[in-house]
Amino acid sequence: MGRKFCVGGNWKMNGDKASITELCKILSAGPLDPNTEVVVGCPSLYITFAKPLLPATIGVAAQNCYKVPKGAFTGEISPAMLKDVGADWVILGHSERRAIFKESDELVGEKVEHALAEGLKVIACIGETLEEREAGKTEEVVFRQTGVIAKYVKDWTNVVLAYEPVWAIGTGKTATPQQAQEVHAALRKWLAEKVSKDVSDNLRIQYGGSVTAANCKELASQPDIDGFLVGGASLKPEFVQIVNAKQ
Ligand code: 13P
């Protein structure tokens, strides 16, 4: 069994009822490649609003959650709550969470563990900054981040890894297909050595960072790129073309 191509849209902190309604109409009209799994990362507040407007084949993700089921954690949302309102997935460890909200590798790992235990599927994000890349530390950074996640994951079935170089996010500077493929292949080798051959063969690794309708096909043709996590372009009609990148 090959790895099913998986495209996620990360809406980030964007959208309102009117624009989400429009976007859901576009996604419902598609047509979307039935061989691609599609997930949209919706602001938590709008999950119950967006879910019934989307085709049942599209998974709905939250963009963050906390690491325990309930309690005195003002402002936080638990995986149990996300499941209760219909979310299927959660995006964790996004570089914006790591950089702006100071989430550590350990906290991301703990969140991944708890979300999986509660039955959510997880898109776990990793990626190096420009400084780290220029210092030749790309592999060191992504292996360290993946290593901490791996410490908290027993069963990888419900995990997708998203490689998102921070310098490519929202900048219009996409990693070249070769740059992305190189890191994805290195991650797969690392997984084979540190986790298992089975996980290395079956874990889907998405690329994220300035993916557009114009560059998605070439990126999708790389052997170790199993999908995308799309920011800006996931708010536009071109997301349909990105979902269909393998066609
Ligand atoms: P852009 O596609 O806007 O670069 O964002 C990528 C991203 O952060 C997806 O999680």
Side-chain angles (χ1 to χ4, degrees), residues 2 15 17 41 49-50 64 105 117 131 147 152 155 157 181 202 243-244:
K17 285 188 194 171
F49 179 78
N64 180 34
D105 292 343
E131 244 185 355
Y152 289 95
D155 179 353
T157 316
Q181 167 58 27
N202 293 304
V243 166
N244 296 335

Side-chain angles (χ1 to χ4, degrees), residues 16 49 89 107 110 113 117 129 134 172 182 222 227 241:
D16 52 24
F49 179 78
W89 291 80
L107 178 59
E110 290 170 340
E113 180 180 43
T129 63
E134 286 176 345
E182 199 180 2
Q222 300 300 312
Q241 286 162 266

Side-chain angles (χ1 to χ4, degrees), residues 143-206:
F143 294 167
R144 186 199 76 228
Q145 293 171 328
T146 311
V148 178
I149 292 165
K151 213 171 75 176
Y152 289 95
V153 176
K154 283 169 208 78
D155 179 353
W156 290 79
T157 316
N158 289 333
V159 180
V160 168
L161 195 62
Y163 168 59
E164 300 204 298
V166 179
W167 49 270
I169 295 179
T171 57
K173 264 197 226 164
T174 322
T176 64
Q178 293 69 32
Q179 280 174 320
Q181 167 58 27
E182 199 180 2
V183 178
H184 284 226
L187 282 165
R188 223 174 275 295
K189 188 160 173 276
W190 183 93
L191 288 163
E193 284 164 10
K194 306 284 183 189
V195 183
S196 72
K197 167 100 171 56
D198 180 58
V199 170
S200 168
D201 287 344
N202 293 304
L203 180 67
R204 292 173 295 177
I205 309 178
Q206 295 175 324

Side-chain angles (χ1 to χ4, degrees), residues 8-12 91 94-96 125 162 164 168-173 207-212 228-234:
N10 178 5
W11 296 351
K12 307 193 180 184
I91 299 169
H94 191 279
S95 66
E96 287 147 18
C125 307
E164 300 204 298
I169 295 179
T171 57
K173 264 197 226 164
Y207 166 77
S210 298
V211 176
T212 64
F228 303 118
L229 190 55
V230 185
S234 73

Side-chain angles (χ1 to χ4, degrees), residues 81-102:
M81 292 169 175
L82 294 173
K83 286 220 39 162
D84 192 36
V85 298
D88 318 286
W89 291 80
V90 62
I91 299 169
L92 290 170
H94 191 279
S95 66
E96 287 147 18
R97 300 295 320 168
R98 293 176 186 266
I100 305 168
F101 301 99
K102 309 288 179 238

